[in-house]
Amino acid sequence: MKKFDSLVYLVGSMSKSEKKSLTLSISKNGAEQDYAVLYRLIARSDSVNETAIRNAYQKEARGQSFDISMHYLYDRILDVLVSLHRRKTVTEDLTRQLSKARILYERDMFYECFESLNHILKVAREHEAYEILFFAMRLKREYLLRLNFPNMTEQELYHIHHEQKEIIRNIQKITEQGSLFDLLKYRLLHRGNIRSEKQKEELNDLVVRELYISASFGDSGNIFEIAKNHKLFQASYLMGVGESASALNSFRELVRLFDENPQFRANPPVYHLSVLEGILHMLRSSRNYDEMDYFRRKLEALSQGYSKEFKENVACLAFQYEMFPYFDRGDYAACRDLMGGHRELYDNIDQLSSLRKSELLLYTALVHVGLGEYSQAKKQINSILFDRNIEYIPIMKTIRLVRLIVYYELENFDLLQYEIRSIRRGLALKKEQAFKTEYLMLRLLGNENLSLASGKAHARIYEQIEALRNDKYEMQLLVLFDFTAWIESKLKKLPLGMVLSRYRSGV
């Protein structure tokens, strides 16, 4: 992404409080700086056109370098954001304290330096911040060496070496445990749920190694990170092999572990949030809607005591999982009622992150599609910003395919063909595996009129649809929105909600 585009996106992502802090920081410097002029132009302009902003800047800044101010403003914003967030996690706070300890040593304030390092070591142990613990201990050992080990016995020195080795072993085990979970998730995503004994055997190597790591801690197995990773691994494996009841028990134990250890929560608890979101996504993927309520309530309770922006993002996620049981069954009237009862989410949509905002607009657009309100759907889907950042968002493929559906339903065939060509170029350039659903949608919509297909063509399409529905890799896309149901609704000339209702109920 061009530096200017990155800068505009960064400014746009800032909350009101963050912008206020930046403005106060800029005003402390007295006369308005060149980068302050640029910030004001970007913040107040409705246009993000680089040429227009550049020309306006040159008039106000009297020929000063636009590129230099652009880079300086970008760094200045990041400095302010870092200062605002520096105490939000224990790791960030301890990292800052490590820098202070170094300064104290350089000023020959040895007593204060070791006092600070001992405090860092104590807090790092309490919060299992092993990386910080390792660096703090290494720094302490280095300073003791430089001072010829003042007032130390050999046994005390041996204890420091032993503890440092233990920390390294813990880091290695936690890292390996994390890699095993990554491999488990990857295999489940690409091979789908495990149903046969042969498929289970393919995961045995991961299960045995993970159990060995967890058991190797013995009496010290109460380490939060190890217990958390173990329960997450167990739950994901059990869900993957179809033992949903046992998986749910493991998920509940995992949530209980978080509740019993609030000292490990960051501010805000982003990781805790991601775990709950992962659990809810797994339940949705397996259509286990009855169990979602418990974890959704945990999600709503999580936001208490944190910033307004965090609360809004959690509320948005909780709303989605309240709506999904109706959405996935094609009950779009119930979805519309729920949307009407959560108008505050739409009123505060600018406070949402790019991901949450994109999700909210996407599912709102899809509800309008299900209700046949295609102009409203177009308005919502076009409100999603398209830039290079969104490529990292998992729902990007869904957004682009839904946009095709909207163009098709509105008979905007010129835009439809343009977008199809754009997507095909993107698929040709990228090396990662694409979904078969994408190619099917592009091919069918390229014909512009599905209902005119012949009977033989219908039969071939139904065969492809059935294959997609049984393909576990394709379910990563279809769980977000069932494109096969939409294709079927066009072929049979039935409402989308009716097709989904029949398909989900097995009729």
Side-chain angles (χ1 to χ4, degrees):
M1 180 179 287
K2 292 171 59 178
K3 194 69 174 182
F4 177 79
D5 294 336
S6 299
L7 177 60
V8 169
Y9 189 87
L10 185 61
V11 171
S13 70
M14 295 171 68
S15 66
K16 290 182 179 179
S17 60
E18 290 168 342
K19 288 179 179 178
K20 183 178 180 181
S21 296
L22 177 64
T23 302
L24 289 173
S25 173
I26 290 172
S27 65
K28 288 179 182 179
N29 295 328
E32 190 175 45
Q33 303 295 315
D34 297 334
Y35 69 88
V37 173
L38 180 56
Y39 169 70
R40 178 166 47 78
L41 289 171
I42 293 174
R44 295 180 182 178
S45 176
D46 294 329
S47 170
V48 292
N49 181 273
E50 181 177 354
T51 302
I53 296 292
R54 186 183 288 269
N55 291 337
Y57 173 83
Q58 294 298 346
K59 290 179 182 178
E60 290 201 36
R62 298 177 183 177
Q64 296 300 317
S65 173
F66 178 84
D67 292 320
I68 291 175
S69 292
M70 180 173 61
H71 284 82
Y72 192 88
L73 175 60
Y74 185 85
D75 291 339
R76 185 68 181 147
I77 292 174
L78 288 179
D79 288 340
V80 170
L81 294 178
V82 167
S83 69
L84 291 172
H85 291 75
R86 66 186 180 189
R87 296 188 64 85
K88 290 197 172 183
T89 67
V90 171
T91 301
E92 290 172 352
D93 188 41
L94 293 180
T95 300
R96 191 165 56 89
Q97 291 187 43
L98 275 173
S99 298
K100 291 181 178 180
R102 288 192 183 96
I103 292 172
L104 291 170
Y105 181 85
E106 291 167 2
R107 298 292 188 278
D108 294 340
M109 299 174 68
F110 305 128
Y111 176 83
E112 291 82 359
C113 171
F114 287 115
E115 188 177 55
S116 178
L117 286 173
N118 288 333
H119 172 73
I120 293 170
L121 290 168
K122 178 177 180 293
V123 175
R125 286 191 189 95
E126 291 172 353
H127 291 83
E128 297 180 11
Y130 290 114
E131 288 80 5
I132 297 295
L133 191 59
F134 173 76
F135 284 117
M137 189 161 289
R138 190 176 71 175
L139 200 62
K140 181 178 179 180
R141 186 170 59 83
E142 180 184 332
Y143 290 163
L144 288 170
L145 173 63
R146 291 182 191 177
L147 297 170
N148 293 326
F149 309 109
N151 304 316
M152 280 193 70
T153 65
E154 185 173 335
Q155 186 63 30
E156 288 172 334
L157 180 60
Y158 174 80
H159 178 72
I160 290 175
H161 292 160
H162 175 74
E163 190 171 5
Q164 197 169 17
K165 292 174 184 176
E166 282 297 310
I167 292 167
I168 293 172
R169 277 194 285 268
N170 285 349
I171 292 173
Q172 288 176 328
K173 288 180 179 180
I174 290 170
T175 302
E176 184 178 0
Q177 192 184 38
S179 68
L180 291 173
F181 178 72
D182 291 345
L183 286 169
L184 173 69
K185 287 288 290 182
Y186 187 89
R187 291 184 186 181
L188 290 176
L189 283 171
H190 287 76
R191 302 178 188 178
N193 290 349
I194 308 304
R195 302 191 184 280
S196 67
E197 290 301 319
K198 183 178 180 180
Q199 289 174 316
K200 285 184 181 181
E201 289 176 6
E202 293 177 357
L203 295 181
N204 280 349
D205 60 326
L206 303 182
V207 176
V208 171
R209 284 164 61 194
E210 197 281 329
L211 282 172
Y212 173 76
I213 291 172
S214 300
S216 68
F217 281 85
D219 295 335
S220 62
N222 58 349
I223 293 176
F224 174 79
E225 188 77 10
I226 290 293
K228 177 199 71 179
N229 290 343
H230 177 60
K231 293 183 187 301
L232 190 59
F233 185 97
Q234 273 190 323
S236 301
Y237 170 75
L238 290 168
M239 185 67 77
V241 297
E243 298 181 22
S244 56
S246 299
L248 284 170
N249 287 334
S250 293
F251 279 137
R252 289 176 186 270
E253 289 176 9
L254 177 62
V255 172
R256 196 177 305 119
L257 181 68
F258 275 109
D259 291 342
E260 292 171 355
N261 294 275
Q263 71 273 22
F264 293 108
R265 288 186 185 178
N267 182 10
V270 177
Y271 184 82
H272 193 170
L273 173 65
S274 70
V275 169
L276 285 171
E277 183 180 0
I279 294 171
L280 286 164
H281 181 74
M282 285 186 186
L283 292 174
R284 184 190 178 194
S285 301
S286 60
R287 301 177 191 172
N288 197 339
Y289 301 111
D290 293 337
E291 297 293 340
M292 279 169 47
D293 243 11
Y294 170 81
F295 296 102
R296 189 172 58 79
R297 289 196 300 273
K298 286 291 183 182
L299 192 67
E300 291 171 340
L302 182 65
S303 65
Q304 302 306 312
Y306 297 103
S307 67
K308 185 178 180 181
E309 290 83 2
F310 183 73
K311 287 182 179 179
E312 291 295 340
N313 281 280
V314 173
C316 181
L317 187 61
F319 162 69
Q320 289 177 47
Y321 280 95
E322 183 182 2
M323 185 173 70
F324 285 152
Y326 305 100
F327 178 86
D328 293 345
R329 296 181 185 120
D331 190 350
Y332 295 115
C335 293
R336 178 174 53 195
D337 292 341
L338 278 174
M339 285 160 51
H342 289 80
R343 293 310 309 171
E344 69 281 359
L345 275 176
Y346 295 89
D347 294 338
N348 299 321
I349 197 167
D350 288 335
Q351 296 184 19
L352 299 177
S353 67
S354 295
L355 174 59
R356 295 290 167 241
K357 183 176 180 180
S358 299
E359 288 174 342
L360 181 61
L361 292 171
L362 169 64
Y363 286 110
T364 302
L366 282 169
V367 169
H368 287 302
V369 168
L371 294 169
E373 301 166 352
Y374 303 117
S375 294
Q376 286 295 318
K378 180 182 178 182
K379 180 180 177 182
Q380 299 295 330
I381 207 73
N382 284 345
S383 296
I384 301 174
L385 293 176
F386 277 81
D387 55 51
R388 288 185 62 187
N389 285 310
I390 207 171
E391 291 181 4
Y392 295 95
I393 297 178
I395 62 170
M396 175 60 186
K397 292 177 181 290
T398 307
I399 291 169
R400 299 202 73 167
L401 291 179
V402 172
R403 181 178 251 186
L404 295 182
I405 288 175
V406 172
Y407 289 156
Y408 176 87
E409 297 287 11
L410 290 172
E411 298 184 1
N412 291 338
F413 295 125
D414 289 340
L415 283 173
L416 176 65
Q417 294 303 327
Y418 174 83
E419 191 70 16
I420 286 174
R421 287 194 296 270
S422 175
I423 294 174
R424 281 177 172 159
R425 282 196 300 270
L427 291 175
L429 290 172
K430 294 176 183 177
K431 295 180 180 179
E432 71 266 18
Q433 184 175 351
F435 291 98
K436 296 174 185 176
T437 304
E438 292 179 86
Y439 289 114
L440 179 61
M441 286 288 292
L442 293 174
R443 181 168 60 81
L444 295 179
L445 289 174
N447 295 330
E448 295 185 0
N449 200 329
L450 289 171
S451 61
L452 296 180
S454 66
K456 290 183 178 180
H458 279 207
R460 288 196 299 270
I461 294 170
Y462 285 132
E463 286 179 10
Q464 290 175 290
I465 286 175
E466 195 61 30
L468 292 175
R469 287 172 175 172
N470 292 317
D471 189 319
K472 301 307 177 184
Y473 183 78
E474 295 297 312
M475 285 306 298
Q476 296 175 65
L477 182 64
L478 297 180
V479 72
L480 302 178
F481 174 67
D482 195 340
F483 292 99
T484 64
W486 181 81
I487 295 171
E488 187 177 339
S489 74
K490 295 294 103 181
L491 295 176
K492 293 182 176 179
K493 300 180 182 179
L494 292 173
L496 174 59
M498 183 182 294
V499 173
L500 277 169
S501 178
R502 290 178 177 179
Y503 170 56
R504 297 298 185 186
S505 61
V507 177

